[in-house]
Amino acid sequence: MTKMIMHGCNGRMGHVIVDLVKEDADIQVVAGVDAFGENTYDFPVFKSLSECNVEADVIVDFSNASAVEGLLDYAVAGNVPVVLCSTGLSEEQLSKVKEASSKVAVLRSANMSVGVNALLKVLKEVAPLFAEAGFDIEIVEKHHNQKLDAPSGTAIALADAINDAFDEKYEYTYDRSQRREKRRPKEIGISAVRGGTIVGDHDVIFAGLDEVVTLSHRAYSRAIFGKGAIQAAKFLAGKNPGMYDMADVLA
């Protein structure tokens, strides 16, 4: 039985994951952490990790970027592996994530769904074929109107997967409103849409001469992210220090 702390237990994803864990005999939420401190669960909820005195095998984080540094400090101090799902991290925070991974197991993924991670793998294979044929590359992501960061971490991960196949030769363009010039060949355009209750849509567009190929992922429920996070938590518990991702879980 894997014992798990849910960091951000009162958020949307926190509720989803707690409900999914109830149906899984191999994992148990033993404590929750949330700044609001409200508790409607059958496990203790703390306002911060510094107050948490419950032992666990792994932490699953779906909070926000502002809480990441305290999370990493706690994970390192207690040698508790952490599945880090918060997005919108700064470069400084990403450096701290890397530093922490030298002391404790950290699994970081911009998107926990199996489908998105399969798409990341496919993009590395097909992007060079389209680029050699002169196709332009654009990414359009859509999310609900409550999402704070833009573009999404998943959109950046999709762009990074493509760019990795080209030895980082492409640059990312987030806004063309301030320039009057033709599209540069070596750029990946990334656009964000915010509205309604869209869970998460991502389109990778390869636009060539007289033809367009679009690879898409649609999330119809947050449960797909929760299932992936739980799978990652069971994988990460007991692992040696290092940086892991969903590709390791799905291997």
Side-chain angles (χ1 to χ4, degrees):
M1 172 73 74
T2 300
K3 297 180 180 179
M4 182 188 102
I5 294 173
M6 184 66 234
H7 190 239
C9 63
N10 289 329
R12 290 186 180 91
M13 282 306 307
H15 285 295
V16 168
I17 292 173
V18 170
D19 287 342
L20 288 171
V21 166
K22 293 176 182 178
E23 308 300 321
D24 194 321
D26 297 324
I27 190 167
Q28 176 188 9
V29 178
V30 293
V33 176
D34 196 279
F36 295 103
E38 298 175 0
N39 189 359
T40 59
Y41 301 114
D42 57 358
F43 50 79
V45 175
F46 304 90
K47 288 187 177 182
S48 69
L49 277 167
S50 62
E51 300 176 10
C52 181
N53 57 3
V54 179
E55 293 186 1
D57 302 310
V58 65
I59 305 168
V60 172
D61 165 68
F62 263 103
S63 55
N64 57 67
S66 64
V68 166
E69 293 176 36
L71 167 65
L72 294 174
D73 290 342
Y74 179 91
V76 170
N79 192 29
V80 185
V82 56
V83 178
L84 181 59
C85 303
S86 293
T87 60
L89 304 188
S90 67
E91 290 300 321
E92 182 180 357
Q93 288 175 315
L94 291 175
S95 295
K96 291 185 178 181
V97 171
K98 185 176 181 180
E99 179 183 350
S101 70
S102 67
K103 303 172 184 176
V104 68
V106 178
L107 189 149
R108 179 176 176 267
S109 179
N111 192 299
M112 302 304 295
S113 83
V114 173
V116 164
N117 283 278
L119 178 57
L120 291 169
K121 183 177 180 180
V122 168
L123 285 172
K124 293 180 180 180
E125 298 176 2
V126 303
L129 301 177
F130 289 115
E132 289 173 9
F135 282 64
D136 296 320
I137 306 170
E138 294 282 319
I139 297 172
V140 179
E141 59 96 342
K142 305 173 187 176
H143 283 86
H144 54 88
N145 58 21
Q146 300 300 300
K147 186 170 177 61
L148 300 180
D149 56 314
S152 68
T154 300
I156 298 298
L158 293 170
D160 287 346
I162 295 169
N163 212 7
D164 286 346
F166 298 104
D167 297 323
E168 314 301 326
K169 293 180 180 178
Y170 278 73
E171 63 180 60
Y172 302 163
T173 299
Y174 305 101
D175 179 23
R176 296 189 176 94
S177 65
Q178 302 303 311
R179 72 187 201 204
R180 292 182 59 82
E181 60 183 55
K182 294 181 179 179
R183 186 188 196 280
R184 293 188 284 266
K186 295 294 184 181
E187 73 177 30
I188 299 175
I190 304 176
S191 302
V193 175
R194 296 288 175 267
T197 58
I198 302 171
V199 175
D201 292 357
H202 292 86
D203 295 323
V204 182
I205 303 165
F206 296 97
L209 183 62
D210 297 330
E211 61 179 334
V212 175
V213 176
T214 302
L215 301 181
S216 301
H217 180 271
R218 300 281 181 269
Y220 295 106
S221 165
R222 290 185 176 84
I224 64 170
F225 311 127
K227 290 176 182 177
I230 292 169
Q231 192 173 351
K234 290 190 286 187
F235 164 85
L236 199 64
K239 286 291 187 294
N240 293 325
M243 183 68 75
Y244 300 84
D245 59 26
M246 282 300 290
D248 297 308
V249 179
L250 301 175

